[in-house]
Amino acid sequence: MKKLFLIIGAPGSGKTTDASIIAEKNDNIVHYSTGDMLREEVASGSHLGKTIDSFIKRGALVPLKIIVDTIVSAINNAPVDNVLIDGYPRSVEQMTAFDELMSKEENIELASVIEVRVSEEVAKERILGRAADAKPGEERSDDSIEVFFDRMKIYTDPLAEIQTFYTDKNLLKVIDGARTLEEVVEDMETFVKSKI
Ligand code: AMP
């Protein structure tokens, strides 16, 4: 039985960094970031990658089928039983689609949805800092102030509905992401380990 933890958070919340540190420290935990998986597909130069790129550049969500296929294959191919996926769900449509999938799936249990919470101000400072610090060739096409506001709105619009849905299922765990990286990681790691 695979145990799945979905991690959501605004752009700049640190969710990918937090989850990757936890997976590095624990042999029985693996981590995938939806953004990283999609960027890998773009980097491969495939036809699918070109389609994905046209969405990422604008800060828009990639179509439902692409993202669902991406996470389902990541979960199925995960080499260990405890899987952290950050960046999903990002819309009510994605949440509902995944819930339907889970209701039919006997080998995967959704253990929790972890929300890494930061204010818009903190998110903006971190994203602009990341853009300024990026090495040449490693800049993200969506780390600009213009795209930041679009990404933030896309994150915020469905958030209340997503929070309510998982709170009702007793699955939502909110973590304060505005603290130091060490503090956030420790909190998230302790929580994840308590569920596995
Ligand atoms: P991130 O690295 O999490 O900030 O994601 C970067 C970009 O990848 C997003 O702005 C979207 O274009 C795309 N993306 C990531 N996760 C999803 C998702 N769950 N659904 C649709 N698009 C996504």
Side-chain angles (χ1 to χ4, degrees), residues 15 34-35 38-39 56 60-62 67 87 90 94 140 151:
K15 60 189 187 310
T34 56
L38 295 170
R39 280 185 289 274
I56 291 188
L61 295 182
V62 307
I67 190 69
R90 268 171 142 117
Q94 290 183 8
R140 280 182 49 165
R151 288 163 68 203

Side-chain angles (χ1 to χ4, degrees), residues 11-12 15-16 33-36 38-39 52 55-63 67 71 86-91 94 130 140 142 151:
K15 60 189 187 310
T16 304
S33 144
T34 56
D36 285 349
L38 295 170
R39 280 185 289 274
I52 292 173
F55 291 90
I56 291 188
K57 268 197 204 137
R58 293 184 279 128
L61 295 182
V62 307
I67 190 69
I71 65 164
D86 85 71
Y88 192 97
R90 268 171 142 117
S91 67
Q94 290 183 8
R130 180 163 77 188
R140 280 182 49 165
D142 56 355
R151 288 163 68 203

Side-chain angles (χ1 to χ4, degrees), residues 33-84:
S33 144
T34 56
D36 285 349
M37 289 189 286
L38 295 170
R39 280 185 289 274
E40 275 165 28
E41 190 64 44
V42 173
S44 78
S46 68
H47 181 69
L48 175 63
K50 291 198 171 66
T51 307
I52 292 173
D53 195 35
S54 67
F55 291 90
I56 291 188
K57 268 197 204 137
R58 293 184 279 128
L61 295 182
V62 307
L64 184 66
K65 181 167 176 2
I66 295 180
I67 190 69
V68 170
D69 287 352
T70 303
I71 65 164
V72 167
S73 80
I75 299 167
N76 286 334
N77 294 324
V80 295
D81 280 347
N82 303 300
V83 183
L84 313 181

Side-chain angles (χ1 to χ4, degrees), residues 14-31:
K15 60 189 187 310
T16 304
T17 309
D18 305 331
S20 50
I21 293 173
I22 293 169
E24 256 167 46
K25 284 171 70 184
N26 295 277
D27 289 346
N28 59 342
I29 302 176
V30 69
H31 160 246

Side-chain angles (χ1 to χ4, degrees), residues 3-19:
K3 282 212 171 169
L4 177 64
F5 296 79
L6 297 177
I7 305 175
I8 61 173
S13 61
K15 60 189 187 310
T16 304
T17 309
D18 305 331

